[in-house]
Amino acid sequence: MSDELSEFEQSVKREIDAFMKPGHEPSPSRELPSAKPARQKGTKPAVGESAESYKTGHLVRLAVRTRKLETDTVFEHRSTSISKLEAQLEAEKAAKQAGYPIIGYLIEIRSL
């Protein structure tokens, strides 16, 4: 337990140092397998990588849960679809793939 705590403290210290010195990049001690690799300058983002690059579509916000009696969590999905219904269906599918089996209700759909 103390080994994990000291490793966590060192990781946080490296991140704080990297934040305080913008030119200094921290050496990655341990990468999470689900973390996306940072893209280099001058390269185009992959499809679906940058949600800000969408020119058309909808931002869908859903209330989702992992268990029946859990409080709702907001799940946001950006869709390139013009149709609100199709955007909602894409968002529900993405939420289920992200590990939220219970879709509570639709909070809002906003045009981008």
Side-chain angles (χ1 to χ4, degrees):
M1 178 72 171
S2 65
D3 184 39
E4 292 175 0
L5 184 59
S6 64
E7 185 177 320
F8 174 73
E9 289 173 348
Q10 290 172 357
S11 171
V12 170
K13 190 171 199 169
R14 280 192 300 269
E15 290 178 15
I16 290 172
D17 290 341
F19 178 75
M20 298 303 282
K21 300 174 192 171
H24 177 262
E25 290 291 326
S27 60
S29 61
R30 215 171 52 164
E31 293 275 335
L32 293 176
S34 63
K36 291 183 181 177
R39 64 181 186 95
Q40 306 216 350
K41 289 184 179 179
T43 61
K44 289 186 177 182
V47 175
E49 181 179 335
S50 175
E52 299 299 323
S53 67
Y54 292 159
K55 304 255 189 239
T56 61
H58 293 89
L59 173 67
V60 182
R61 296 179 70 204
L62 299 172
V64 295
R65 287 176 256 148
T66 55
R67 288 177 274 161
K68 283 187 177 183
L69 297 177
E70 187 175 280
T71 59
D72 290 337
T73 304
V74 177
F75 180 82
E76 290 186 352
H77 176 73
R78 293 180 191 260
S79 173
T80 56
S81 174
I82 298 172
S83 167
K84 286 185 178 183
L85 182 60
E86 190 174 327
Q88 181 179 351
L89 292 173
E90 283 179 18
E92 290 176 0
K93 186 182 284 188
K96 287 182 181 181
Q97 287 178 351
Y100 295 103
I102 301 171
I103 310 295
Y105 53 91
L106 175 68
I107 296 175
E108 92 178 298
I109 295 180
R110 188 172 30 178
S111 296
L112 294 177

